[in-house]
Amino acid sequence: MKTPVITLPGDDYHRVKEGEITRIVKPASNKLNLKVYDWVPIVFKGNNDNVMVEVESIDFVMFKDLTLNTALKCGFNSVNELKHNLVEHYPTLDNASRLYQYTFFVVGISEKVGE
């Protein structure tokens, strides 16, 4: 079975590395094949650096029940920002949609060394 990889925007790299972003949310249709304590790489679009994280917990929540705490841990300033981003990527989401929350912490960093 292929190891899952989490992909985030390139400008999220430093925020993940510094522990500001510690959670991602995916719809049930895009559930990652992960378990608690699994290590998974996060790659960043347009950036050669990556981060290895350990999954600390996996929970589910309904779209309508997303909280400010989840939005902040995902790197957003509000629940509305998080919901807008999710609907932008997954247009079929509605209030009854089940989402999976993956909470993680950084265990390793691979940065491109400059000259």
Side-chain angles (χ1 to χ4, degrees), residues 13-49:
Y13 170 72
H14 290 288
R15 295 173 66 203
V16 171
K17 178 183 163 187
E18 299 301 322
E20 294 175 29
I21 295 176
T22 59
R23 183 177 293 168
I24 62 162
V25 178
K26 296 268 190 188
S29 61
N30 290 76
K31 181 181 180 207
L32 299 172
N33 187 24
L34 294 172
K35 302 181 302 288
V36 173
Y37 307 121
D38 279 354
W39 286 23
V40 61
I42 298 180
V43 297
F44 300 89
K45 294 177 187 170
N47 187 335
N48 291 330
D49 301 328

Side-chain angles (χ1 to χ4, degrees), residues 61-114:
V61 65
M62 302 304 285
F63 184 83
K64 66 182 173 83
D65 296 328
L66 287 168
T67 65
L68 180 58
N69 183 44
T70 293
L72 294 173
K73 288 183 178 189
C74 290
F76 296 94
N77 294 318
S78 70
V79 175
N80 283 339
E81 266 187 47
L82 172 59
K83 286 182 174 182
H84 178 75
N85 181 271
L86 286 168
V87 170
E88 189 175 284
H89 289 92
Y90 310 103
T92 60
L93 290 178
D94 60 26
N95 281 332
S97 297
R98 181 178 174 141
L99 304 171
Y100 283 84
Q101 301 180 114
Y102 303 87
T103 302
F104 56 82
F105 60 91
V106 175
V107 294
I109 298 165
S110 174
E111 293 181 320
K112 182 180 175 185
V113 178

